[in-house]
Amino acid sequence: MIKFKRHIKVDEQVFETWFGMEIKKKGNRPSVSIFYYTNDPNDELSVHQLIKGNFASKDEAVRFGTKYMRSMYKDMIKREKSVPAEEK
């Protein structure tokens, strides 16, 4: 598995995100799967989660993974803002 890090900016916050990419051959064409790591992949407690598979290229998989994580971070920020101050 190929492991790499991206910095994803949402509003004014920057999130450091680790991705993993697995490339398999299906006939004559590649099948690329994109994963995200819960933490640094070198950490023994870090696990990878599949985002989506069956991409035709690495670039397509990375673009999708970045958009997916940006959306996830936006939702997380939105939920955090909706929690009353007393519960924090």
Side-chain angles (χ1 to χ4, degrees):
M1 182 168 320
I2 302 167
K3 300 170 190 167
F4 57 97
K5 179 173 38 172
R6 290 285 189 264
H7 291 88
I8 300 174
K9 186 174 182 180
V10 178
D11 299 329
E12 296 300 315
Q13 293 181 314
V14 177
F15 296 92
E16 186 178 274
T17 307
W18 282 94
F19 289 100
M21 188 181 311
E22 190 174 73
I23 304 167
K24 295 180 181 176
K25 288 283 188 177
K26 267 191 174 175
N28 288 335
R29 48 177 250 143
S31 176
V32 182
S33 297
I34 187 86
F35 300 84
Y36 74 90
Y37 280 88
T38 56
N39 205 351
D40 184 337
N42 297 323
D43 184 3
E44 65 183 41
L45 298 177
S46 181
V47 284
H48 61 275
Q49 299 291 323
L50 177 65
I51 295 173
K52 189 175 176 187
N54 274 342
F55 289 101
S57 71
K58 294 178 190 177
D59 291 337
E60 186 182 353
V62 171
R63 274 194 307 273
F64 184 88
T66 303
K67 286 168 84 174
Y68 177 88
M69 293 305 291
R70 183 174 287 120
S71 173
M72 189 172 87
Y73 290 137
K74 281 181 182 179
D75 289 345
M76 180 183 70
I77 291 169
K78 192 169 141 181
R79 279 193 310 272
E80 192 175 273
K81 286 180 181 178
S82 71
V83 174
E86 300 162 358
E87 292 182 21
K88 289 182 183 178

